[in-house]
Structures are given as C-alpha cells and as structure tokens.
Amino acid sequence: MSVVEKAGANVLKTTFAKKDKKKKKDKNRSAEMVETRPSEPETIDLDFAELARHGFYNPDDRSSQLALEMRAVKRRLLRRIGYLRSSGERQAFRAPGKQRNTILVTSTRAGEGKTFTAINLALSLALEDQIETLLIDADLARPKIRTRLSLPEAPGLCDLLTHRDLDAASLGWRLNSGPLAIMPEGACAERPTDLFATEIAQEKWTELSTANPQRLVIIDAPPVLAATDAVMLAKYADEIVFVVEANSTPEAAVAAAVDELIDINPNVSLMLNRCQIGAGGAHYGSYEYYGRSEAAETPAGKDKPSSEG
C-alpha cells in the first residue's frame, strides 16, 4: 500500500404503491427509533478475532503486515492534516474552530476497498494511537459499515441531517475498549445528494468537525463515478483518501474521478490497494489480506466472489 501526495401502468401503479407503503413504514420506524434514542451513544464490544478472520485490523496483533501498512498510511495522513509535526510528534494543542480533522474515503467505483480502508484506518487510529475517532457511513445507497462490524440497525447520519435538533453525540455506538465512535447510515434517504446539499447538512458537518478539536472524523463515502454524493461531500472534507485497486481500475476512470474531486477539494491523496510489491521493495505491501477468507472458502473451479466497498 502506498500513498501518493497531491494527486492531481397498472402493474407499475401496484409496484409503486407497495414501495410507497414500505417507505412510509421505514420512515415511521426511523422516527420511532429517533424518539426513543437515549441521550448517550450505546457502548459496544467488537469481536476483533472474528474481524481479523475477514482481514480487518486486530489491536492484539500489532506486528501484522496490516498493522505496519496502516502505520505508514497514518503517518503521512496525520502530517498532511497538521495533526503531527514533521518530527512525528503529535501537536500539543489544536485550538477550537474549523479543524483539518475531517477525512473522506472514496474510490472510483465499488469494490476497490474504500469501506475496508475506512474501517481499518478508524480502528488503527483509535486503538493503536488512542486518537479520538468518529467513523461515519455516508454511503447511504450501499451502506456496509454496520454489516462488516455486525452491528444492528440504528438512527444515524440520515436522521442527523433531517432532524435539526438531533444531537450527533447520541447517535451510533461507542467502543468500550478505545476512543472510537461509529455513526451508521440511519434511515434510508431517497436522494442522498440533495440531502448533502441542504443548509442543515452544512451546519451538521461543521458541528461534527468543531465539536472536538482533538477528534478525527472518518467518512466512508460512495464511489465518485457511481453517484454525485462523494463530490458533494468533498466540500465538507479537509482531506480526501482516494482508494485505487491496483492493476484493475482503468487509468482513465481514475483520472476522471480525481479531476471531479480536485475541482471541489484539492487535498487528495491516493492509496493503492491490493498492490503486490516484491520482497526487495522499499514500501509496505498492499491490503493483500483483504478478501483472503473469501478466497479460501471458494471451491476450486468457481469464480471468486467480488469484494465490495
């Protein structure tokens, strides 16, 4: 894994009626969940052994290749946002106000490892570096963080952006074993891009950044070429980590996606995922563990299931 800095009819009526009923049911359920939500986030424990079997960061194995790779990524990333000095020492104090602490993780298309990257980055920052971290699932069309971490449905980002009086601190979960909070997608939004463009969205994203100057906010966003959501979210981010799957994503597609982001936010760093580097290489390897358990379970002669997010 490497980081390159600064990358430049009747049937239809019946169908729609059923969908409308489902949407109303979902909205009612969401409203009930929000109304009964406690004022403090629920505390949880994650099964790190199980997560590790699926290739995720395990705080009990800090000498693993993944742990080493994440350190390389974090060091560069934290320097870029001013969280670390060039010497590697953490800034002693970050004054209140708009911070360079909001990090957007996206990719060109689905399946390149952006959700995997966002989760591992958040786990590593919180559990190894003890940095207060908030992980947000902003891929509202295809949310995956709850599934990957085996968490139940709960109010989240959609609810926050549609209820002005809702307190972000009451949403999601907080890890018992480290300074990590997780905000799920919440109620499904019909038009995420429109939701992200509202005045309340701008207020809430600013609040999330300024609420805690010492906290890092990691946003798992949709792929750039799959929807316009990521481009809309880019204006709220201080740094963008753009994940590219090595030897897979067409160069022209990457260039087109990065160009869209740079028009909104020039602070883009590229992360090469699943990159095979020889033993004599001077850099850390890629996320080669990603999808390994899936590959092991695939019978010979059958296609390997695709990795999403």
Side-chain angles (χ1 to χ4, degrees), residues 224-225 227-228 231 234 253-265 268:
V224 175
L225 299 187
T228 57
V231 176
V254 173
V258 171
D259 282 346
E260 286 198 46
L261 291 172
I262 288 179
D263 282 343
I264 304 297
N265 188 331
V268 180

Side-chain angles (χ1 to χ4, degrees), residues 57-215:
Y57 176 82
N58 186 349
D60 296 327
D61 188 7
R62 299 192 177 186
S63 62
S64 68
Q65 183 174 341
L66 177 58
L68 296 174
E69 292 165 357
M70 291 313 304
R71 285 177 200 144
V73 172
K74 289 184 300 182
R75 187 164 54 247
R76 293 173 174 88
L77 180 61
L78 293 176
R79 282 209 303 265
R80 281 181 59 84
I81 64 175
Y83 203 92
L84 291 182
R85 298 187 178 93
S86 57
S87 63
E89 295 178 336
R90 190 179 301 185
Q91 294 284 11
F93 180 72
R94 291 165 67 86
K98 186 70 173 73
Q99 302 298 319
R100 284 187 52 77
N101 61 352
T102 304
I103 302 160
L104 187 78
V105 183
T106 187
S107 60
T108 303
R109 58 189 184 183
E112 298 192 72
K114 66 174 185 62
T115 299
F116 180 78
T117 298
I119 292 174
N120 278 323
L121 183 59
L123 289 173
S124 183
L125 285 167
L127 300 177
E128 182 173 72
D129 300 289
Q130 294 298 302
I131 295 175
E132 189 75 33
T133 306
L134 172 62
L135 174 63
I136 302 177
D137 195 337
D139 192 346
L140 303 184
R142 300 180 66 186
K144 298 183 184 71
I145 289 179
R146 281 195 306 103
T147 303
R148 297 286 171 86
L149 299 180
S150 300
L151 297 172
E153 290 185 8
L157 181 62
C158 267
D159 306 284
L160 180 67
L161 302 186
T162 53
H163 296 77
R164 189 181 294 271
D165 298 330
L166 195 59
D167 183 8
S170 68
L171 300 176
W173 305 272
R174 184 169 182 84
L175 202 62
N176 281 315
S177 57
L180 174 65
I182 302 166
M183 184 184 295
E185 73 282 3
C188 184
E190 297 176 15
R191 298 184 182 89
T193 303
D194 293 345
L195 180 62
F196 293 144
T198 61
E199 181 181 346
I200 185 174
Q202 183 173 354
E203 293 175 3
K204 292 299 184 179
W205 285 116
T206 301
E207 287 176 12
L208 287 168
S209 174
T210 59
N212 183 348
Q214 305 298 327
R215 181 177 67 184

